[in-house]
């Protein structure tokens, strides 16, 4: 059993309070590999941004739970080595699907967990979230719960259709669960294919998806003033990365994400955590495909993973500075 504080990590409480008050959002980037982790830390240090490094159940199975715990400890040490004396790094479980998984992560040094009971009946979602909160809070670990269902794949849970969060439920849900933040459904979804071309409008040759349900977000904010809100499924699916992938042998059709302008707007509200995974996958894959196509004789992983890491770092910095606005927001930037 290890507490996250012993690993130099922080929970989300203070950073969310500052983000809601300051009108910006904290980036929550998923990682499975060392290169992703390095790129996240480099970007956070360069921009002096707090950051949430998150792992799904699938990522944990892929990378191994013990290795991840040491990677998180390594991330803090690496940030300091890069010159950040007071990094604010959260290790977060993304889409925890059971009390046992959340407990295991808390016991292994995670500073924050998500319990995703969004697919369960309302009362069961509350009971499960409360069970996790009661355990997590004993160790000062913060808990994200979800109300409303996102379309797409959430680890091993998938839903064909989204169900927007009902604003009339949020006070009861957050009070009875005691959760520290609430993930809501207002039109985002997971993966690189968030909308079909038929759902979009063609503007100047670009497919523009329908806007997020900001009216629902604002109603939720009115019911829960200052309460931290989380947006999942917030990759923008940059067209240049998709084009690079397709140019160098890939086959990604009709990949459409959330326009960054909408995420910029959401960041100014009580939305204080924005989840991005697919954009990292696209940045990595585009760079690897390009490198291998241009250097067919290369077979040392460092030759193609270095440009992949650089491309992810560039993307993370762009999100932090130009979309979420979390740059220079460390409590202590020295
Ligand atoms: O919300 C899902 C995240 O993008 C994690 O995806 O379960 O494939 O690791 P994964
Ligand atoms: P994207 O698939 O849009 O990157 O969403 C990631 C996410 O919500 C992780 O929980
Ligand atoms: Zn998610």
């Amino acid at each position: 059993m290890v507490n996250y504080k012993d690993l130099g990590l922080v929970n989300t409480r203070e950073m969310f309070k500052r983000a809601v008050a300051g009108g910006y959002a904290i980036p929550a980037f998923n990682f499975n590999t060392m290169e992703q982790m390095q790129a996240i830390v480099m970007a956070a240090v360069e921009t002096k941004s707090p950051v949430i490094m998150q792992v799904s159940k699938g990522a944990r199975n892929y990378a191994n739970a013990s290795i991840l715990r040491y990677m998180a400890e390594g991330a803090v040490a690496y940030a300091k080595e890069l010159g950040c004396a007071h990094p604010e790094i959260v290790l977060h479980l993304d889409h925890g699907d059971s009390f046992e998984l959340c407990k295991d992560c808390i016991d292994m040094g995670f500073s924050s967990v998500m319990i995703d009971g969004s697919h369960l009946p309302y009362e069961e979602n509350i009971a499960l979230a409360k069970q996790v909160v009661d355990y997590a809070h004993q160790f000062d670990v913060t808990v994200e719960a979800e109300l409303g269902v996102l379309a797409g794949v959430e680890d091993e849970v998938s839903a064909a259709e989204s169900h927007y969060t009902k604003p009339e439920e949020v006070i009861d849900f957050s009070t009875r669960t005691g959760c520290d933040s609430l993930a809501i459904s207002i039109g985002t979804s997971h993966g690189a294919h968030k909308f079909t071309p038929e759902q979009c409008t063609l503007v100047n040759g670009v497919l523009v998806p329908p806007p997020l349900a900001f009216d629902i977000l604002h109603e939720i904010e009115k019911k829960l003033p200052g309460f931290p809100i989380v947006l999942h499924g917030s990759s923008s699916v940059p067209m240049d990365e998709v084009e690079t992938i397709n140019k160098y042998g890939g086959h990604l059709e009709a990949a459409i994400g959330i326009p960054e302008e909408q995420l910029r707007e959401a960041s100014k509200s009580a939305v204080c955590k924005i989840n991005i995974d697919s954009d990292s996958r696209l940045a990595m894959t585009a760079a690897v495909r390009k490198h291998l196509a241009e250097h067919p004789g290369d077979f040392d992983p460092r030759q193609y993973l270095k440009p992949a890491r650089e491309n992810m770092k560039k993307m993370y910095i762009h999100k932090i500075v130009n979309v979420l606005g979390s740059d220079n927001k460390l409590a202590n930037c020295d």
Side-chain angles (χ1 to χ4, degrees), residues 8 74 87 91 104 128 165 181 191 210 237 258 268 273 300 320 326:
L91 178 63
D104 211 34
L128 181 59
T165 305
S181 59
V237 189
I258 309 294
K268 293 183 184 138
K273 172 176 182 269
D300 177 344
I320 289 171
S326 64

Side-chain angles (χ1 to χ4, degrees), residues 94-95 190 232 275:
D94 191 26
H95 295 286
H190 291 101
H232 281 249
N275 286 12

Side-chain angles (χ1 to χ4, degrees), residues 283-294:
M284 186 176 211
T285 302
V288 169
R289 279 194 181 278
K290 181 171 189 294
H291 183 91
L292 289 177
E294 290 174 350

Side-chain angles (χ1 to χ4, degrees), residues 118 122 125 145-150 162-171 173-174 182-188 213 215-221 223-224 229-232:
S118 58
Y122 183 70
N125 188 2
E146 180 166 333
L147 197 51
V149 179
L150 270 68
S162 74
H163 300 282
Y164 287 172
T165 305
K166 296 181 186 139
E168 61 273 22
E169 290 180 344
V170 299
I171 296 177
F173 185 85
S174 58
L182 183 66
I184 61 166
S185 172
I186 56 166
T188 62
D215 51 337
I216 294 182
L217 171 61
H218 296 320
E219 263 189 77
I220 293 170
E221 281 184 293
K223 304 254 184 211
L224 294 175
I229 301 296
V230 177
L231 277 194
H232 281 249

Side-chain angles (χ1 to χ4, degrees), residues 30 54 94-95 150 189-192 194 231-235 275-279:
N30 289 66
Q54 57 187 16
D94 191 26
H95 295 286
L150 270 68
S189 60
H190 291 101
K194 301 184 189 302
L231 277 194
H232 281 249
S234 297
S235 278
N275 286 12
I276 295 171
D277 186 0
S278 298
D279 284 354

